[in-house]
Amino acid sequence: MVAAAAWFRQSGDIVTAPHHVPSPRAQELYVQGMHHRSRRDIDATDLALAKLEAAIKEDPKYAEAWAGYSRTLASAVVRQRITPAEGLPKARAAAARALALDATVVDAYVTLL
């Protein structure tokens, strides 16, 4: 990731490809999922995953939703909500999907570190 960022900075290239605009409903579900992921008053991991899965189902090309889903799965593994064997392959696959859709989605790179 650092090498890619350095190349981008040195080359001065500007990405001009059109950026995918998710549906309003997918955006709403994504925001709700990210809200639940960040809650500290209760463990809302299941709610976060459900909302992010719904956002992906609503708009399968929504890279940020895929990345949020990957980070939430990885977080669930760290917090011992799901096993590494269950969560990590799904988290990596979701991050890879996010990057295939949009290579600028930072959350996906964080999952893969």
Side-chain angles (χ1 to χ4, degrees), residues 19-80:
H19 190 73
H20 175 73
V21 178
S23 72
R25 179 67 181 144
Q27 289 180 42
E28 179 182 338
L29 291 164
Y30 169 76
V31 169
Q32 290 172 359
M34 299 306 285
H35 165 74
H36 288 302
R37 184 177 92 179
S38 68
R39 290 185 69 176
R40 299 294 178 251
D41 59 331
I42 63 168
D43 182 359
T45 302
D46 292 338
L47 289 170
L49 289 171
K51 293 292 183 178
L52 292 164
E53 288 170 355
I56 291 166
K57 186 175 181 179
E58 174 71 26
D59 189 344
K61 294 183 180 183
Y62 192 3
E64 288 84 358
W66 282 103
Y69 183 66
S70 73
R71 290 280 312 274
T72 305
L73 284 167
S75 175
V77 170
V78 169
R79 294 172 52 217
Q80 299 180 344

Side-chain angles (χ1 to χ4, degrees), residues 20 34 48 97 104 110:
H20 175 73
M34 299 306 285
R97 179 67 180 140
T104 67
V110 173

